[in-house]
Amino acid sequence: MNELVRTITEAIQEKKGSGIVVADLTKIGGTISNYFVICEGNSPTQVEAICESVGDMCRERLKEKPMHVVGLENAQWVAMDYGDALVHIFLPDVRAYYDLEHLWEDAELTRIEDVD
């Protein structure tokens, strides 16, 4: 895991995001990014807070800003594009429906423990 992905996961944990999974796509040809970081928040408000935390921490520590952020208008699924990493912040039912963890069946998945 690179420094960007570690910073993203720490920012998610700071706002009590849960179910964090990092999909390493570096060994798969033709992918749009090297990493998918997938997590969930329990409400649209928490999804927005996680998004803000990721943006703030990446900017402060790494001087990185997302190229695009989509989904904030309803905050059921927010995607943040950092080029090397795509961050997906879901509400639980939306995450279960899209099941991104299994989109790339050859990806190495790392599950990050939830913080209390």
Side-chain angles (χ1 to χ4, degrees):
M1 232 181 304
N2 67 21
E3 189 176 358
L4 175 61
V5 173
R6 280 192 297 277
T7 301
I8 290 167
T9 58
E10 188 177 329
I12 293 166
Q13 289 174 323
E14 183 177 88
K15 295 298 178 186
K16 306 288 191 238
S18 60
I20 303 170
V21 174
V22 177
D24 183 340
L25 309 174
T26 56
K27 296 180 178 115
I28 302 171
T31 60
I32 57 175
S33 184
N34 286 329
Y35 298 94
F36 271 21
V37 182
I38 304 162
C39 72
E40 60 190 61
N42 291 318
S43 68
T45 303
Q46 187 182 18
V47 168
E48 288 178 28
I50 293 167
C51 179
E52 185 176 322
S53 179
V54 170
D56 289 348
M57 199 173 285
C58 289
R59 187 173 53 257
E60 289 165 10
R61 290 190 183 172
L62 307 173
K63 309 293 185 246
E64 293 269 356
K65 291 182 181 179
M67 292 180 271
H68 301 285
V69 177
V70 295
L72 276 173
E73 54 279 345
N74 60 14
Q76 295 184 24
W77 175 5
V78 175
M80 305 176 77
D81 182 355
Y82 280 93
D84 195 39
L86 286 174
V87 184
H88 300 274
I89 310 163
F90 288 98
L91 289 178
D93 57 331
V94 179
R95 180 182 186 172
Y97 180 81
Y98 287 101
D99 193 22
L100 288 188
E101 288 91 335
H102 297 101
L103 179 64
W104 305 100
E105 61 185 36
D106 295 340
E108 180 182 326
L109 299 180
T110 303
R111 298 186 191 290
I112 309 293
E113 288 201 32
D114 292 347
V115 293
D116 295 330

